[in-house]
Amino acid sequence: MSGATVTVNAPNGRQVKVNTGLFINNEWTSAKDNATFASINPATETEICSVSKASAEDVDRAVAAAKEALDGPWSQLDGTSRGKLLLKLADLVEAEHETIASLEAVDAGKTFTKAMKDIHEVFEVFRYYGGWADKHYGQTIDAGKHRFAYTIRQPIGVTGSITPWNYPLIMVSLKLGPALACGNTCVLKPSEFSPLSALYLANLFVKAGFPPGVVNIVNGEGREAGARLSEHPDVAKISFTGSTATGKQIMKAAAPTMKRVALETGGKSPVIVYDDADIPNALKWVYYGIYANQGQICTSTARIYIHEKIYDEFLKRFLAYTEKHAIVGDQFKEETFIGPLVSKTQFQRVLDYIKIGQQEGATLIKGGGIFPERPDGKGFFVQPTVFGNVTHDMRIATEEIFGPVGAFFKFSDSDDIIKIANNTRYGLSSAIFTKDMIRAIKVSEKLASGMVWINSSNNSDYRVPFGGVKESGIGREGGEAALDENSVLKTIYLNLELTNDE
Ligand code: NAD
């Protein structure tokens, strides 16, 4: 049995061949009962193709392949050899940069410009972890007279990865890159809203020379395929990026086998603009922090606190900046900054929040509607939206919207604003704008979030640890931190003084 191959025609003329089956043991197979689901183009609402939908039994097959591969040729490769495979993979992704970006733009609604940046990051992430593969090791520790201990880094085993739709392939690279560098094997379940780029990547693993079973990719629904992967007794670690609600379910599913859990979940991040901020710089980043990727970013700085002395002026200039830059429409046009939201569900959810904001008494200053890009009215486009007069208890101020909707607040007291910024169940990121670096550093230390940007927003880098506190997650991706998360630190004691108490 093998999954079908389809050709996806991107509007930029690229024709991309994708195998839509389940990728297990370096082979393509169909799902049980040939089950499939449709992958939808969010700009046109038409079906791109149907994709094999893994059942729990299919996930079991993938896990069994990954388990067997742990003891196969993969286990004979040292860090340097694993690194070479990752470097080869990075080269293959780079060679297909535009093709993969075109596919992701069609499947996830990303602007092609953004998708090109994302895929650039994907091959750099694989390259980065390829470089790390033989440079992550233990220590020698003095443990008293005639005794010492040393630590070694070992693979955890089979790792399960569950990814969301907003950065489909970047998330895959951030999970699989360090997992493979550390010698683990992988079962990946991508989001059912953006399954195609991961399927395209599958063949590149084979081309790069990864042995069968080391990487397995099974698309399917969260509640079946994702749930089975999370609870599976042979999966030693589950790494998840997605909503906080799902993250909690995954923790529960993982508890009986006490597998390692890494969660990158939701956020409602604050940005604080003090009255001494460099305004043109703050405008650029506040705009980027709320509208990039259609606002579908977990670290989106959607709570925008502006000092009262500059509030009116800032808001006026922000609206003018948005008018000029936030061009909505066809994601393949160069000038477009805001493409469609990923799905009908997400589209409806964002429109519902806009209604809720109005019902709660916030002032809708800009946008708020559907963007009629196509004459037939199709496509999940939402206008860039700005709310003013938002109060801290409103749902649009406390709940993650995950769309191009910013809430503006006025503040006056510099101490009070830290309490207000921290008054959320989330703690992923924060941003502050000020020219006073002593204040910037002191405030960053007090903000209850995993990451803080000073004088920018949402410009994360894969070489730097990424992750949240509170209900925004557990663990870190990116940088060297991800290698610790993907390996077991084993301690070995060595006693040099042999005794004879006979
Ligand atoms: P989601 O939680 O609905 O789905 C994410 C993934 O989990 C998908 O692959 C889905 O199939 C799977 N899933 C769903 N239910 C499951 C279950 N019961 N068991 C196992 N897997 C299950 O999230 P989404 O809508 O795809 O993504 C948006 C959310 O992701 C937002 O809340 C956003 O903040 C968050 N996110 C967080 C980060 C981060 O790094 N912190 C990054 C991107 C997105």
Side-chain angles (χ1 to χ4, degrees):
M1 268 196 310
S2 72
T5 303
V6 298
T7 302
V8 177
N9 293 305
N12 60 356
R14 289 262 163 185
Q15 294 194 317
V16 192
K17 278 205 164 59
V18 189
N19 197 308
T20 57
L22 305 179
F23 180 73
I24 300 175
N25 247 333
N26 281 6
E27 283 172 3
W28 292 100
T29 81
S30 303
K32 184 184 162 213
D33 300 332
N34 291 318
T36 59
F37 65 96
S39 184
I40 304 292
N41 177 339
T44 61
E45 301 184 38
T46 53
E47 180 174 326
I48 305 168
C49 59
S50 59
V51 172
S52 289
K53 182 166 80 173
S55 64
E57 278 172 45
D58 294 318
V59 171
D60 289 353
R61 278 199 288 145
V63 173
K67 190 178 175 196
E68 203 183 319
L70 273 178
D71 298 323
W74 180 240
S75 65
Q76 303 305 311
L77 300 183
D78 61 8
T80 309
S81 309
R82 293 196 301 270
K84 281 183 185 161
L85 290 178
L86 281 165
L87 295 175
K88 178 88 178 115
L89 178 71
D91 290 345
L92 292 168
V93 175
E94 184 166 10
E96 310 243 18
H97 188 171
E98 269 195 52
T99 302
I100 305 173
S102 306
L103 187 63
E104 209 160 271
V106 172
D107 197 25
K110 275 179 184 286
T111 64
F112 180 63
T113 313
K114 183 84 177 75
M116 283 295 283
K117 282 190 192 147
D118 285 9
I119 304 308
H120 184 269
E121 182 165 334
V122 170
F123 60 75
E124 291 301 4
V125 170
F126 284 131
R127 202 162 274 153
Y128 175 79
Y129 285 110
W132 260 120
D134 57 4
K135 298 173 192 66
H136 184 241
Y137 26 66
Q139 294 174 305
T140 307
I141 304 159
D142 181 355
K145 203 173 172 208
H146 301 310
R147 192 171 76 129
F148 74 92
Y150 62 96
T151 56
I152 56 171
R153 292 272 172 192
Q154 291 188 312
I156 302 174
V158 176
T159 59
S161 295
I162 301 177
T163 50
W165 41 261
N166 59 340
Y167 285 96
L169 218 52
I170 287 187
M171 295 297 165
V172 172
S173 65
L174 285 168
K175 293 187 190 307
L176 268 51
L180 294 167
C182 293
N184 301 290
T185 60
C186 306
V187 177
L188 164 70
K189 196 213 77 69
S191 167
E192 54 273 50
F193 295 107
S194 56
L196 301 184
S197 52
L199 289 173
Y200 193 88
L201 186 69
N203 284 331
L204 302 188
F205 281 107
V206 182
K207 259 197 195 168
F210 283 85
V214 173
V215 174
N216 306 276
I217 301 176
V218 286
N219 278 294
E221 288 178 355
R223 61 182 169 209
E224 180 161 9
R228 179 59 185 151
L229 194 57
S230 310
E231 71 179 15
H232 202 295
D234 291 333
V235 172
K237 178 195 173 186
I238 190 89
S239 174
F240 164 78
T241 300
S243 62
T244 293
T246 306
K248 290 178 184 179
Q249 286 179 28
I250 286 175
M251 264 185 112
K252 271 192 207 152
T257 51
M258 256 198 207
K259 57 173 59 72
R260 202 183 279 201
V261 174
L263 305 171
E264 302 282 356
T265 53
K268 188 76 182 177
S269 299
V271 46
I272 306 169
V273 183
Y274 290 94
D275 54 350
D276 67 342
D278 180 289
I279 301 294
N281 179 62
L283 280 174
K284 173 191 155 174
W285 289 111
V286 170
Y287 166 84
Y288 187 82
I290 183 62
Y291 296 136
N293 211 39
Q294 292 72 258
Q296 303 167 129
I297 310 185
C298 50
T299 48
S300 161
T301 33
R303 290 188 287 142
I304 305 163
Y305 299 99
I306 312 290
H307 193 276
E308 61 179 0
K309 276 196 199 150
I310 57 165
Y311 183 89
D312 292 341
E313 173 69 11
F314 189 91
L315 185 57
K316 196 171 110 203
R317 287 169 70 174
F318 181 82
L319 294 173
Y321 190 97
T322 303
E323 195 62 37
K324 184 169 161 197
H325 295 280
I327 297 168
V328 189
D330 180 346
Q331 69 266 45
F332 281 90
K333 283 194 186 148
E334 216 180 320
E335 66 271 22
T336 301
F337 189 75
I338 300 187
L341 299 187
V342 74
S343 65
K344 194 168 200 130
T345 314
Q346 190 60 18
F347 176 64
Q348 200 48 57
R349 179 184 143 98
V350 172
L351 293 176
D352 286 349
Y353 269 112
I354 292 170
K355 238 186 249 158
I356 290 168
Q358 290 170 285
Q359 284 161 1
E360 286 180 318
T363 310
L364 181 63
I365 300 173
K366 183 175 174 55
I370 299 169
F371 184 79
E373 161 65 13
R374 285 160 49 94
D376 60 6
K378 296 278 185 196
F380 307 132
F381 299 91
V382 174
Q383 293 171 332
T385 299
V386 174
F387 273 108
N389 290 324
V390 185
T391 56
H392 306 301
D393 53 338
M394 289 180 182
R395 286 182 64 193
I396 59 163
T398 55
E399 296 175 18
E400 184 179 43
I401 300 175
F402 225 57
V405 183
F408 275 74
F409 308 78
K410 219 182 258 189
F411 77 93
S412 53
D413 187 298
S414 292
D415 289 331
D416 211 31
I417 186 60
I418 297 169
K419 280 190 212 128
I420 292 167
N422 288 344
N423 185 20
T424 164
R425 67 189 179 109
Y426 295 114
L428 194 51
S429 64
S430 319
I432 51 181
F433 289 85
T434 175
K435 287 189 194 128
D436 178 348
M437 279 303 122
I438 293 180
R439 164 158 70 190
I441 291 165
K442 284 186 174 168
V443 171
S444 343
E445 286 171 5
K446 286 183 188 156
L447 287 168
S449 61
M451 299 168 281
V452 179
W453 287 286
I454 300 171
N455 292 332
S456 73
S457 175
N458 276 275
N459 58 347
S460 307
D461 190 287
Y462 58 87
R463 292 163 291 200
V464 179
F466 182 106
V469 298
K470 300 200 275 185
E471 293 188 29
S472 287
I474 296 171
R476 292 293 178 266
E477 280 184 341
E480 191 179 350
L483 298 159
D484 294 350
E485 303 259 345
N486 278 284
S487 57
V488 171
L489 186 65
K490 180 183 275 184
T491 301
I492 299 167
Y493 280 97
L494 194 55
N495 179 20
L496 303 176
E497 194 169 50
L498 304 185
T499 52
N500 186 345
D501 290 340
E502 255 181 337

